[in-house]
């Protein structure tokens, strides 16, 4: 889907239009981020190639999109809605095939991080536009069914507790947003209740499985009690984040260099035999790698969709502003939540997936702010 997205950019280009200001601002911010990471990697000495190559994706994708996409952006939002629903169904089918036909017990590891994170990154777009962009009532209910099954995949099949919890929080936040949108509170209240139906159904499916419920219980236990008896996956993350915070405090301002981000926190393979490319929390990883400036730049990049959503355009209606604002906030929340539980930039493929998600969200926000959003053309 990521490759197809890049192929679509030239198709939607308007050669006579102006460059999108939102994309230009994000491109400049990504250049600052990339330059800092590269300089810090070079200053840290040997082994700088990997983090420098990772930053190229963060800079090149927004640069390419800014060159290709022009305003006004013309996207058929009804078709976009249908594609999102289909994408959610494909995630479900792919996971079911791997789990029950090929007997892959951890299908998210075979699918890889970009595919693993795709449902969470698609959900904000989907839930932010459900009742306004669906081509028909049938598609609304198809979307609800697809969303229920996708939440079940996240929480009940692929063992990604962080993604499931994040999706639940986003879903609730979207319902709150709906109460603030036109035309009236009564209409919005019904829409919000309808939105919460898949949440309850998916939750019932997930927690009906005793094995799945035990994983969530173990995670809650360590968070609430910090019990020494921990579930192994949660324990690994707890130890990595704890070691990362300790290392960050030792060099808080500029860190150890991106190429030393893991070994600086956990240098002894005997006490922590598993070796990863990051600390399973990108804020901690950036702190260890590049200090406070790296964390600030990472946060700014992930917050950019929310900032763009609140940037009002001339002639924008209240409904268009509400849609853009809700979509921007939900997208940033999804990215921030993912960064808090995993990695969004410090490996090449996740940097590609995250950058592409952000630039597409900016394109979509531009569409929501314009006349195209009212007639879906």
């Amino acid at each position: 889907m990521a490759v197809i997205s890049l192929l679509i950019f030239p198709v939607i280009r308007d050669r006579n239009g102006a460059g999108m200001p939102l994309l230009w601002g994000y491109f400049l911010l990504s250049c600052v981020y990339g330059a800092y990471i590269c300089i810090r990697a070079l200053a840290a000495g040997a082994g700088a190639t990997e983090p420098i190559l990772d930053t190229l994706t963060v800079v090149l994708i927004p640069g390419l999109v800014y060159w290709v996409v022009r305003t006004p952006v013309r996207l058929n939002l009804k078709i976009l809605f249908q594609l999102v629903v289909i994408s959610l169904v494909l995630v479900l089918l792919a996971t079911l095939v791997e789990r029950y036909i090929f007997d892959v017990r951890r299908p998210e590891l075979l699918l890889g991080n970009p595919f693993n994170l795709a449902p969470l990154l698609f959900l904000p777009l989907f839930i932010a536009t459900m009742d306004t962009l669906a081509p028909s009532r049938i598609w609304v209910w198809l979307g609800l069914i697809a969303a229920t099954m996708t939440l079940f995949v996240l929480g009940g099949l692929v063992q990604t507790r962080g993604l499931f919890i994040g999706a639940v929080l986003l879903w609730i936040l979207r319902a709150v947003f709906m109460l603030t949108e036109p035309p009236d509170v009564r209409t919005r209240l019904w829409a919000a209740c309808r939105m919460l139906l898949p949440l309850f159904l998916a939750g019932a499916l997930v927690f009906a499985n005793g094995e799945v419920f035990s994983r969530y219980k173990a995670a809650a236990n360590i968070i609430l009690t910090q019990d020494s008896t921990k579930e192994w996956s949660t324990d690994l993350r707890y130890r990595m984040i704890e070691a990362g915070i300790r290392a960050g405090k030792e060099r808080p301002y500029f860190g150890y260099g991106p190429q030393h981000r893991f070994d600086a926190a956990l240098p002894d393979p005997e006490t922590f035999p598993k070796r990863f490319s990051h600390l399973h929390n990108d804020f901690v990883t950036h702190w260890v790698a590049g200090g406070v400036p790296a964390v600030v730049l990472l946060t700014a990049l992930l917050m950019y969709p929310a900032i763009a959503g609140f940037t009002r355009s001339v002639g924008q209606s209240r409904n268009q502003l509400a849609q853009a604002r809700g979509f921007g906030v939900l997208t940033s929340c999804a990215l921030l939540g993912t960064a808090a539980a995993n990695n969004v930039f410090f490996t090449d493929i996740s940097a590609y997936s995250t950058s592409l998600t952000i630039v597409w969200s900016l394109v979509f926000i531009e569409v929501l702010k314009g006349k195209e959003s009212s007639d879906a053309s």
Side-chain angles (χ1 to χ4, degrees):
M1 287 186 289
V3 173
I4 291 174
S5 296
L6 288 181
L7 296 176
I8 289 175
F9 287 139
V11 177
I12 64 176
R13 183 183 184 188
D14 184 348
R15 296 179 182 273
N16 298 321
M20 281 178 51
L22 295 179
L23 286 175
W24 176 245
Y26 179 71
F27 173 57
L28 292 179
L29 182 61
S30 67
C31 287
V32 175
Y33 169 87
Y36 177 76
I37 296 299
C38 289
I39 292 171
R40 188 65 193 90
L42 292 171
T49 305
E50 179 186 346
I52 290 177
L53 290 176
D54 292 345
T55 62
L56 290 179
T57 299
V58 181
V59 175
L60 289 177
I61 287 182
L64 171 65
V65 177
Y66 175 74
W67 175 75
V68 170
V69 180
R70 294 291 182 264
T71 52
V73 183
R74 305 189 185 281
L75 295 175
N76 190 310
L77 300 186
K78 292 182 179 179
I79 294 178
L80 182 60
F81 177 89
Q82 293 171 318
L83 289 176
V84 172
V85 175
I86 293 171
S87 298
L88 295 176
V89 173
L90 290 177
V91 170
L92 167 67
L93 292 178
T95 308
L96 290 176
V97 167
E98 294 206 319
R99 183 70 181 269
Y100 295 113
I101 295 181
F102 295 105
D103 197 28
V104 178
R105 301 303 299 173
R106 294 290 302 277
E108 74 275 17
L109 297 181
L110 182 59
L111 293 172
N113 263 350
F115 204 90
N116 184 21
L117 301 179
L120 180 57
L121 299 179
F122 271 124
L123 277 171
L125 183 152
F126 174 70
I127 62 183
T129 58
M130 172 174 287
D131 62 341
T132 55
L133 299 182
S136 65
R137 187 168 296 277
I138 293 177
W139 275 97
V140 171
W141 289 106
L142 286 175
L144 289 169
I145 294 171
T148 302
M149 293 298 98
T150 304
L151 286 170
F152 171 67
V153 167
L154 290 176
L157 290 184
V158 299
Q159 301 184 10
T160 49
R161 287 162 294 186
L163 288 178
F164 177 69
I165 294 171
V168 169
L169 293 175
L170 286 172
W171 208 275
I172 295 173
L173 182 59
R174 174 56 192 156
V176 173
F177 268 117
M178 295 185 79
L179 297 177
T180 67
E181 297 175 0
D184 59 76
V185 175
R186 184 175 180 179
T187 302
R188 293 294 101 192
L189 183 61
W190 158 243
C193 291
R194 186 181 62 196
M195 286 285 294
L196 292 174
L197 180 60
L199 189 63
F200 290 115
L201 291 176
L205 290 172
V206 169
F207 291 105
N209 186 315
E211 179 185 355
V212 172
F213 179 74
S214 65
R215 297 203 315 266
Y216 287 92
K217 186 177 180 180
N221 183 58
I222 186 176
I223 293 172
L224 297 175
T225 66
Q226 297 187 354
D227 191 353
S228 58
T229 305
K230 309 179 184 78
E231 185 261 346
W232 76 272
S233 178
T234 305
D235 181 46
L236 287 180
R237 284 164 171 77
Y238 181 84
R239 292 170 61 189
M240 282 188 284
I241 293 173
E242 185 180 46
I245 293 174
R246 184 169 57 248
K249 289 180 178 179
E250 293 174 358
R251 292 190 185 180
Y253 300 113
F254 299 104
Y256 295 83
Q259 62 268 53
H260 306 307
R261 56 189 179 263
F262 191 86
D263 289 336
L266 294 158
D268 187 2
E270 292 186 2
T271 59
F272 197 92
K274 283 187 172 290
R275 316 309 287 173
F276 298 98
S277 60
H278 57 92
L279 296 167
H280 284 69
N281 181 305
D282 232 12
F283 299 103
V284 175
T285 303
H286 275 72
W287 193 21
V288 176
V292 173
V295 175
V296 171
L297 288 169
L298 168 69
T299 305
L301 287 170
L302 301 184
M303 286 294 296
Y304 205 89
I307 296 171
F310 278 89
T311 305
R312 190 167 192 131
S313 298
V314 177
Q316 186 179 9
S317 69
R318 182 189 168 196
N319 189 49
Q320 289 169 330
L321 177 62
Q323 290 180 36
R325 180 183 60 204
F327 176 75
V329 169
L330 288 167
T331 302
S332 285
C333 285
L335 294 166
L336 292 168
T338 303
N342 209 292
N343 167 66
V344 293
F345 274 139
F346 262 146
T347 59
D348 52 0
I349 195 67
S350 61
Y352 180 87
S353 177
T354 302
S355 300
L356 197 62
T357 299
I358 294 176
V359 296
W360 262 114
S361 72
L362 297 177
V363 171
F364 191 63
I365 287 172
E366 184 74 27
V367 176
L368 288 175
K369 288 183 174 184
K371 293 181 180 179
E372 290 84 356
S373 63
S374 61
D375 60 8
S377 62

